Amino acid sequence: MAMLWKFMRVAKYSKTALSPKVKLRGIPTHSRHSSSKSVPSDFSANTLCSNTVELLGKAYPQDDYSNVTEKILSKVGKNLHNKRHHPLWLMKEQVKDHFYKQYTGRRGTPLFSVYDGLSPVVTVQQNFDSLLIPQNHASRRKEDNYYLNRDHMLRAHTSAHQWDLIRSGLDAFLAVGDVYRRDTIDNTHYPVFHQMEGVRLFSCHELFSNIKDGEGLQLFEQGHRTAHKQECHTMEAVRLVEFNLKQVLTKLMRHIFGDGLQVRWVDCYFPFTHPSFEMEINFQGEWMEVLGCGVMEQQLVNSAGAQDKIGWAFGLGLERLAMILYDIPDIRLFWSEDERFLKQFIVPHIWQKIKFQPLSRYPPLINDISFWLPSETYSKNDFYDLARTIGGDVVEKVVLVDEFTHPKTKKVSHCYRIIYRHPERTLTQDEVHRIHQAIEESAVRELGVEGRF
């Protein structure tokens, strides 16, 4: 009930519905979501004064780029990956345990160090510029990210820490944390999820030491860039780094899912790795993508102070692995505080086999919403974010089911189907009607659409 009350409290987007400690004075008219200026005082964020948010002990002035909602701010600091016996903690510990035991230094100590407490608030420079992501790259858009202001944001990937950790002198590390992206709404997508980043750098000696006649091989050359290598890398070095990367990740997946697991690699493109690949595994007859990886851009490595080394990087989603391994059907469940869910993961050791027993499947309630789009720029992610902010985890899925262009006025209409289903109890028609009506009213007020309700 407390969780539902919070959803209804947010639903009205009104000052009186929020805690009296949260002050909303001075909200600029350029804000596309009034909720991006209101944050809860009872969580990890607090409004100090007009247009300023305090998050994790630091104050951030808001500007025309600020778009973080109260719903998202309430998730910051939860750190599910560090909560003992949580399924995401189990996944993190399994991966960590594998790397600790499989890869050791000369004295038998773990080769990889682990960082799972890094702040999710990063600079735009850390999240994009340090990774060589171009200024005009689509991944920087406000429609896809949560910005505190033009200079600070909630990290969109754990790769935001690559440069800093390499700069500190690390050659092998795992970085784990919550990441934030504005995205579609369904049972596999959530605006907050958890990633694990892996990086390994090699010196010339480390890479070629076990290669016959490897003394004459080099890491770098003055060549040209191809689909298979960067211009500064020798083909021999790239092939060995690529082989090591795929071998490391194949071992990891087979250790988690079993020796008989089938693995395949698909070429792809990431701005900060080249060449780059996605790993897909065949689990119970279905091919599923589980991670992305590649040879690190040498410009990134050089700028971080490791000019004489070459390396690889990977990023995997803990929710994706846990949903496959434990057969968890809905990503919202990871945020559940229902003991029927949590107690299933209290096990004597991290490698204990667990088969998730579904909670009672409560019936869905379905409502459609149609509106004419405003003449200015409109993003579907704006509507998804608004629907999730108001409905919270009561909103199971939002699908664009119809798009219509008027033959005379050329105005465009969208029709979205919203599926409401609480993960822990049965919803009533009355409470869903109130939430749906709040979404309709807020879409008109906040997004500038013309309702067809």
Side-chain angles (χ1 to χ4, degrees), residues 8 11-12 367-369 386 390 418 420 430-445 453:
M8 295 307 299
K12 295 303 180 182
N367 285 270
D368 290 352
I369 178 172
L386 182 146
I390 295 175
I418 304 179
Y420 299 91
D430 184 57
E431 61 188 335
V432 167
H433 173 73
R434 292 198 301 270
I435 296 172
H436 194 75
Q437 186 176 28
I439 291 175
E440 291 176 339
E441 294 171 356
S442 295
V444 172
R445 183 170 62 252
F453 316 139

Side-chain angles (χ1 to χ4, degrees), residues 100 103-111:
Y100 276 0
Y103 308 100
T104 57
R106 294 179 181 178
R107 299 181 180 178
T109 56
L111 182 65

Side-chain angles (χ1 to χ4, degrees), residues 396-416:
E396 179 181 73
K397 190 173 185 178
V398 180
V399 183
L400 177 62
V401 293
D402 184 60
E403 185 171 354
F404 168 73
T405 302
H406 194 283
K408 293 184 178 179
T409 65
K410 302 304 178 182
K411 294 176 65 175
V412 178
S413 170
H414 278 187
C415 177
Y416 294 89

Side-chain angles (χ1 to χ4, degrees), residues 126-127 130-131 155-163 179 195 197 272 300 313-315:
Q126 287 175 300
N127 200 82
S130 72
L131 298 170
R155 62 187 168 207
H157 42 216
T158 45
S159 305
H161 303 291
Q162 278 186 10
W163 191 93
V179 299
Q195 274 192 342
E197 191 82 10
F272 44 94
L300 187 163
F314 71 80

Side-chain angles (χ1 to χ4, degrees), residues 14 55 121 210:
S14 67
L55 186 59
V121 179
N210 296 323

Side-chain angles (χ1 to χ4, degrees), residues 187-202:
N187 68 325
T188 62
H189 291 87
Y190 202 78
V192 189
F193 57 102
H194 297 74
Q195 274 192 342
M196 175 175 282
E197 191 82 10
V199 169
R200 175 76 194 277
L201 301 180
F202 301 89

